[in-house]
Amino acid sequence: MEMWFSDIHTDGVKLSIRIEEQLFSSQSQVQRIDVLESRDFGKILVVDGDLMLTERDEFIYHEMITHVPMAVHPDVKEVLVMGGGDGGVVRELIKYDTIEQIDVVEPDPLLVEVCRKYIPEIANSLTDSRVNIYHEDGLRFIRSKGDAYDLIIIDSPNPFGAGEGLFTKEFYGNCYNALHEDGIMINQNESPFYTEEAFQCQRMHKRILETFPICRVYQAHIPSYPSGHWLFGFASKKYHPLNDLDKVGWKLRGIHTRYYEPRLHAGVFALPVYVEALLRDVENIE
Amino acid sequence: MERSKQTRAPIYEALENFRRNRVVPFDVPGHKHGRGNPELVQLLGERCVSIDVNSMKPLDNLCHPVSVIKEAEELAADAFGADHAFLMVGGTTSAVQSMILSCCKKGDKIIMPRNVHRSAINALVLCGAKPIYVNPDVDQKLGIALGMKREDVIRAMEQNPDAVAVLVNNPTYYGICSDLRAIVKAAHDKGMLVLADEAHGTHFYFGKDLPVSAMAAGADIASVSMHKSGGSLTQSSFLLTGKGVHPGHIRQIINLTQTTSGSYLLLSSLDISRRNLALRGEESFRAVTALAEYARDEINKIGDYYAFGREMINGDSIYDFDPTKLSIHTLDIGLAGIEVYDILRDEYDIQIEFGDLGNILAYLSIGDRIREVERLVTALADLKRRYKKDKTGMLSQEYIAPKVVMTPQDSFYAAKESLPLEETAGRVCSEFVMCYPPGIPVLAPGEEITDEIINYIVYAKEKGCSMTGPEDERIQRLNVLKNCEVKEYGNVVF
Ligand SMILES: Cc1ncc(COP(=O)(O)O)c(C=O)c1O
């Protein structure tokens, strides 16, 4: 018997992965959650039919969204993770013993439960004593926060659907307000390749530019995501992503990674010409 | 209401039948189920264009319903607690005008609050009736017009015992209701009809703990915007009549101006939406109210905004309040409502219903979810952080009591001249001026132009209100009466 899961990338493109077994499927208050087992990508977390992460390549995404700001900001103590109920970002964060508090805002309790059960290697990080999980709407949570965090990581999958509110100007504005005066905000910035996503890339970049004085975009290669070419946004009140990179300091921490590396750090901010042009398009409006 | 019958939707069912029979069309519309216009099909979809058809026996005829449209009307009447219901395809404008035209002719007096929608005064231009305006009460802090005070309406009735009807907003755009039952009783005691503009009151017929609907209060005719809170397609509405109103006469009046090619998209949407409200309206509107209450609490927590609610009720000019309405006073952050309206759209991609000088109105309905409400609240918090400034010098008064000199019809058709706006003080206007939305005229034909009105127009334009009405689309000039003698025609202006 053949069973295939298809992640729809555009109306005309999909990525199909052969599935050995469906491990879990349920509809929560917020969304439909599925866990699939595959030979080539390991376990796959699917939310509302969209591929969220695979065991095989999730380290790339989670390392790149976490270690880039951590190697720049000299003294991160309080971190907010928006979304991130799978625990991937937190797994990277708890490698830093200088971090004192990690708040995770994940609206869907079922997602956390399912991840703890089916991908414990990732989600068990959420049991770390520094972690507080809030099952709340992200917008509602952030509204009441001011001057509270050194780092905010927006780990929300999809600018359409339940997480839409985390891709808006009002959200970025409230994040700005929730950060200390030298805070950094990182967001997953979609792929620049397909037309619809490219448009979302631009919109996000524009919204963040309007809010933060320092905004740069960096990239990673994530095989299971649409086009494989993925962008992240680095928005900051004070620190520059390259000028303030502390390569030696980071190395001395002795953190084990499989993708991130300070030498790579400088490179990922060098973007392909067409991506530069895409971003410049909205930068020039200012 | 007979619940079991309400599961039916006769127009929708007839259309489904029609579609299944694959009838070959040698009649209009000429797109022939979309085949002649592929781009239209791409935009609207196969299903939609395939039911855009003409009146025919199996589908009945809106101008003279005898079968499925008649049944749909009967079901709607039952659902709304009316004696008769008419399906309207020309917006609530056509319903308001038909209800006024059905009871007023030239020279008749009709009592109405001055904060009516333009459609009501337009009807007076058409038929030549005389408006007897009751100035609505005004909330000084918010700057908005409220309902009518009982004593003001009753005084207008006593001073004009020959008036034929009273028109009431149930509720106003902001969700404010006058004491409709008391007005109905007083009017009926004097032999006057009561007409209700319920453009914003569809849900009153279905929800629990909402203000009284016109039919339940004993009003004679009501215009109900099914396409606003009822969920039907834009431009579709109901006209409802109570006991003692002759439906044949109303139908004749409607047919004076109604199209002979009523759209089945609109008609079927009325049918399906009526069914939906009859079966599920109560729980849907309970959810909308809860959402609005949540939004009010959260917005008031931000500080400096005031999202007003039932605490406003005062037993008279705010006899009741529609809790599904989410209006927010913005002046305390130093921005006019219209400025907040523009910023929300341009910077936050949030489109709200309207902004006036001191307030915004976000329209909540059966289609809203909590996540969009969170966006609105969060955007308002961010907007305040970024834009808050001193509010001195800001105007707030939305309502200016009119000085009526001539009937709308006489002045609309009289000899006129065009003058620059600044030079019009003291002259009589022959056209409408209003911000749209909400579409409540600041000037109507036959009213004297004052410095206060000119200031309002200039200020509202400067703040970015979209103003409409005059021939001059930039509203730099107004048409005024030529040989204007300011003669009061015996109107009562309180
Ligand atoms: C109070 C009132 N009456 C009547 C109308 C007219 O409705 P329609 O736009 O459906 O013609 C409106 C529309 O905004 C309104 O607000």
Side-chain angles (χ1 to χ4, degrees), chain A residues 3 63 91 111 125 131 283:
Chain A
M3 198 160 53
E63 287 186 15
R91 184 194 58 204
L111 185 78
S125 60
V131 176
E283 286 168 0

Side-chain angles (χ1 to χ4, degrees), chain A residues 34-277:
Chain A
D34 292 89
V35 182
L36 312 172
E37 176 77 60
S38 71
R39 199 192 58 202
D40 292 334
F41 278 96
K43 293 199 191 86
I44 301 174
L45 176 67
V46 178
V47 172
D48 281 340
D50 290 330
L51 183 148
M52 286 299 114
L53 63 78
T54 79
E55 256 181 338
R56 183 76 197 286
D57 68 354
E58 57 81 20
F59 72 98
I60 305 175
Y61 176 88
H62 291 129
E63 287 186 15
M64 288 305 283
I65 205 170
T66 308
H67 300 302
V68 170
M70 288 304 297
V72 171
H73 193 299
D75 188 23
V76 174
K77 292 199 172 72
E78 291 142 330
V79 186
L80 172 62
V81 182
M82 281 288 171
D86 54 53
V89 173
V90 172
R91 184 194 58 204
E92 299 304 311
L93 286 170
I94 59 176
K95 294 177 179 170
Y96 296 84
D97 50 17
T98 47
I99 291 179
E100 293 169 0
Q101 177 191 339
I102 303 172
D103 291 345
V104 175
V105 179
E106 169 55 64
D108 192 354
L110 183 67
L111 185 78
V112 175
E113 205 180 298
V114 169
C115 292
R116 295 268 297 271
K117 177 147 183 227
Y118 292 96
I119 41 170
E121 310 75 21
I122 305 173
N124 271 350
S125 60
L126 295 169
T127 57
D128 189 280
S129 64
R130 291 168 286 176
V131 176
N132 313 297
I133 302 183
Y134 299 88
H135 294 303
E136 260 188 59
D137 180 86
L139 286 176
R140 186 189 155 103
F141 181 89
I142 198 84
R143 280 204 296 274
S144 60
K145 298 282 182 268
D147 193 14
Y149 296 103
D150 301 300
L151 172 63
I152 297 178
I153 294 178
I154 306 170
D155 176 21
S156 180
N158 193 340
F160 314 105
E164 188 162 353
L166 305 191
F167 292 82
T168 58
K169 175 160 179 152
E170 55 270 26
F171 178 65
Y172 301 136
N174 277 276
C175 284
Y176 182 93
N177 196 42
L179 284 169
H180 296 313
E181 61 181 10
D182 60 351
I184 296 176
M185 180 185 90
I186 303 292
N187 67 300
Q188 73 88 347
N189 210 84
E190 295 286 305
S191 164
F193 187 73
Y194 294 118
T195 316
E196 196 51 39
E197 280 73 21
F199 180 68
Q200 294 305 325
C201 265
Q202 283 187 312
R203 258 166 69 98
M204 271 185 255
H205 187 58
K206 174 162 182 283
R207 290 322 192 190
I208 296 171
L209 272 175
E210 289 163 354
T211 311
F212 284 84
I214 300 168
C215 297
R216 295 292 299 273
V217 168
Y218 63 98
Q219 59 191 346
H221 175 240
I222 306 175
S224 66
Y225 281 8
S227 87
H229 182 200
W230 213 254
L231 301 183
F232 298 90
F234 182 107
S236 169
K237 292 185 175 182
K238 183 174 163 194
Y239 301 114
H240 189 275
L242 298 171
N243 302 344
D244 292 308
L245 168 64
D246 180 7
K247 286 187 187 177
V248 178
W250 192 82
K251 276 288 201 194
L252 287 176
R253 286 173 182 267
I255 286 171
H256 172 72
T257 51
R258 291 166 61 206
Y259 192 95
Y260 180 78
E261 149 62 30
R263 251 182 309 116
L264 178 95
H265 186 122
V268 294
F269 284 89
L271 300 173
V273 176
Y274 86 94
V275 181
E276 286 277 8

Side-chain angles (χ1 to χ4, degrees), chain B residues 151-214:
Chain B
E151 61 172 299
D152 291 346
V153 190
I154 288 169
R155 183 152 21 114
M157 291 176 183
E158 282 166 0
Q159 291 176 349
N160 299 276
D162 52 341
V164 296
V166 185
L167 186 139
V168 184
N169 291 316
N170 192 52
T172 67
Y173 225 132
Y174 299 97
I176 290 164
C177 298
S178 305
D179 186 354
L180 189 56
R181 281 201 178 90
I183 293 170
V184 168
K185 174 156 193 326
H188 286 177
D189 284 349
K190 295 185 172 54
M192 300 175 194
L193 294 173
V194 177
L195 317 180
D197 181 341
E198 292 192 305
H200 305 286
T202 310
H203 47 299
F204 292 1
Y205 289 88
F206 301 96
K208 278 265 153 54
D209 301 323
L210 293 177
V212 69
S213 69

Side-chain angles (χ1 to χ4, degrees), chain B residues 83-385:
Chain B
D83 252 44
H84 204 96
F86 299 85
L87 277 59
M88 307 295 290
V89 293
T92 305
T93 294
S94 69
V96 168
Q97 293 181 347
S98 297
M99 86 182 168
I100 292 176
L101 297 181
S102 73
C103 61
C104 294
K105 57 183 190 312
K106 192 167 173 65
D108 283 347
K109 289 180 181 173
I110 176 167
I111 297 170
M112 55 172 76
R114 178 54 177 72
N115 56 330
V116 286
H117 183 256
R118 64 176 298 175
S119 56
I121 307 178
N122 281 346
L124 306 182
V125 171
L126 294 176
C127 75
K130 290 181 177 178
I132 307 296
Y133 289 126
V134 175
N135 279 321
D137 195 13
V138 169
D139 184 295
Q140 292 303 335
K141 178 179 178 324
L142 302 177
I144 61 169
L146 308 172
M148 297 182 283
K149 288 187 176 159
R150 275 184 300 266
E151 61 172 299
D152 291 346
V153 190
I154 288 169
R155 183 152 21 114
M157 291 176 183
E158 282 166 0
Q159 291 176 349
N160 299 276
D162 52 341
V164 296
V166 185
L167 186 139
V168 184
N169 291 316
N170 192 52
T172 67
Y173 225 132
Y174 299 97
I176 290 164
C177 298
S178 305
D179 186 354
L180 189 56
R181 281 201 178 90
I183 293 170
V184 168
K185 174 156 193 326
H188 286 177
D189 284 349
K190 295 185 172 54
M192 300 175 194
L193 294 173
V194 177
L195 317 180
D197 181 341
E198 292 192 305
H200 305 286
T202 310
H203 47 299
F204 292 1
Y205 289 88
F206 301 96
K208 278 265 153 54
D209 301 323
L210 293 177
V212 69
S213 69
M215 287 298 119
D220 299 285
I221 317 182
S223 298
V224 180
S225 276
M226 199 61 175
H227 70 88
K228 292 200 168 96
S229 58
S232 65
L233 287 179
T234 293
Q235 224 173 299
S236 61
S237 289
F238 282 121
L239 182 68
L240 307 175
T241 57
K243 278 193 283 297
V245 178
H246 193 318
H249 175 62
I250 303 278
R251 176 90 62 207
Q252 278 185 333
I253 297 284
I254 291 172
N255 280 335
L256 286 179
T257 51
Q258 178 178 266
T259 174
T260 48
S261 311
S263 160
Y264 276 88
L265 298 175
L266 300 182
L267 295 174
S268 56
S269 87
L270 279 171
D271 206 21
I272 291 175
S273 312
R274 181 269 313 150
R275 177 173 71 179
N276 178 41
L277 294 190
L279 301 178
R280 292 174 285 269
E282 189 179 327
E283 71 181 82
S284 304
F285 292 121
R286 191 180 305 120
V288 179
T289 302
L291 212 51
E293 297 293 5
Y294 171 75
R296 257 190 285 281
D297 285 351
E298 291 291 305
I299 290 166
N300 287 332
K301 264 193 235 158
I302 298 172
D304 295 329
Y305 293 109
Y306 175 35
F308 45 96
R310 280 178 160 141
E311 72 282 359
M312 303 255 295
I313 290 174
N314 63 15
D316 195 1
S317 61
I318 310 177
Y319 186 76
D320 209 343
F321 180 81
D322 172 7
T324 70
K325 289 288 183 307
L326 181 59
S327 312
I328 303 153
H329 187 62
T330 62
L331 275 194
D332 290 334
I333 61 163
L335 290 179
I338 183 68
E339 293 175 302
V340 173
Y341 168 94
D342 282 337
I343 294 171
L344 282 174
R345 186 198 51 243
D346 293 343
E347 300 202 14
Y348 296 93
D349 302 319
I350 293 175
Q351 176 65 48
I352 55 173
E353 179 76 6
F354 73 84
D356 62 27
L357 297 191
N359 308 276
I360 55 172
L361 178 86
Y363 201 88
L364 296 187
S365 78
I366 52 180
D368 281 297
R369 300 171 298 185
I370 186 88
R371 61 169 88 142
E372 278 83 19
V373 171
E374 297 291 7
R375 280 195 58 182
L376 175 65
V377 178
T378 308
L380 287 169
D382 195 44
L383 197 152
K384 175 187 152 187
R385 179 179 69 79

